[in-house]
Amino acid sequence: FYIRNHFSGVPNLDRAKWQLVIDGEVRQPLTLSFADILTMPSTELVMTMECAGNSRSYVTPPAEGLAFRPGAVSAARWKGVPVNPLLDRAGLKNGAAEVVFEGADYGREEEDGVAFDLHYRRSLPLEKARHPDTLLAYEMNGEELPSGHGFPLRLVVPGWYGMASVKWLTRINVLDQPFDGFFQQRRYVIINEGSED
């Protein structure tokens, strides 16, 4: 199974100390331990995941990022907890529109000569976050989720490129407006040459 990280290194997370925070446009913010996650009803699904940069090495002009050849696509059986029951438990406010998933991976990016540090974050529209197959996975192919694939918990989003399946998940933040984070607006988008948008 291919591995793609946004920053160097893999977060070293202790399952006993790890927590998942659910906050934002919710009536009852939650802080859950890994043990809490394991008590919840789980489901399994087989899903093919493809990196948005698959075969990037053949693009002309050359694209930024890792020069993947064919092969950044894999399939696995995932087991975990659907996101929707957790959102129901937290109680969405009427204005809830998007759900931001934040990983523990943290690093430096540069844009227009300015460097800044940030966590990896991506959002989903509320409808996709609530889909029954959108999972918080803690097993991969019948075994504990490996570190390189997001241990102890990662998001799995069927039908979307791999960058949506945030690894090393630590926070779910519900917004009442579109998310304008760096990896949502400045990466994984097509920006026309010469455009200032």
Side-chain angles (χ1 to χ4, degrees):
F1 202 104
Y2 77 92
I3 293 180
R4 167 70 168 103
N5 298 340
H6 292 90
F7 308 109
S8 63
V10 170
N12 183 18
L13 302 177
D14 181 342
R15 184 171 55 191
K17 296 178 182 176
W18 172 90
Q19 292 183 322
L20 177 65
V21 172
I22 302 175
D23 62 6
E25 294 298 305
V26 297
R27 294 185 183 90
Q28 180 64 48
L30 303 174
T31 300
L32 303 169
S33 67
F34 191 75
D36 292 332
I37 296 291
L38 292 180
T39 65
M40 299 175 187
S42 64
T43 188
E44 292 188 29
L45 63 85
V46 175
M47 185 189 90
T48 299
M49 188 180 297
E50 181 177 12
C51 179
N54 192 32
S55 298
R56 178 188 284 151
S57 62
Y58 303 113
V59 173
T60 303
E64 293 180 22
L66 293 177
F68 269 128
R69 291 182 166 168
V73 57
S74 306
R77 176 177 293 277
W78 305 94
K79 180 179 179 180
V81 176
V83 173
N84 191 39
L86 291 174
L87 295 178
D88 284 345
R89 185 170 163 184
L92 296 175
K93 293 182 180 178
N94 290 337
E98 281 197 13
V99 184
V100 180
F101 298 87
E102 179 178 310
D105 42 342
Y106 183 84
R108 178 159 287 208
E109 285 287 334
E110 186 173 320
E111 185 78 13
D112 299 325
V114 177
F116 46 94
D117 297 326
L118 71 163
H119 284 273
Y120 184 74
R121 295 180 183 100
R122 287 282 302 185
S123 75
L124 295 175
L126 188 59
E127 181 180 3
K128 186 62 179 178
R130 296 190 71 136
H131 190 281
D133 288 341
T134 302
L135 297 183
L136 303 180
Y138 50 78
E139 284 187 12
M140 180 180 178
N141 293 327
E143 298 182 359
E144 181 179 86
L145 194 63
S147 294
H149 290 291
F151 172 87
L153 195 73
R154 77 171 294 164
L155 181 66
V156 174
V157 187
W160 287 47
Y161 280 117
M163 80 279 193
S165 294
V166 178
K167 297 192 283 188
W168 308 292
L169 196 63
T170 58
R171 184 179 181 206
I172 298 173
N173 181 238
V174 181
L175 301 182
D176 60 2
Q177 59 190 350
F179 178 54
D180 64 354
F182 181 82
F183 290 100
Q184 199 82 19
Q185 298 295 324
R186 304 305 302 170
R187 297 293 184 264
Y188 303 109
V189 295
I190 296 174
I191 300 174
N192 294 326
E193 291 294 326
S195 172
E196 294 185 18
D197 295 337

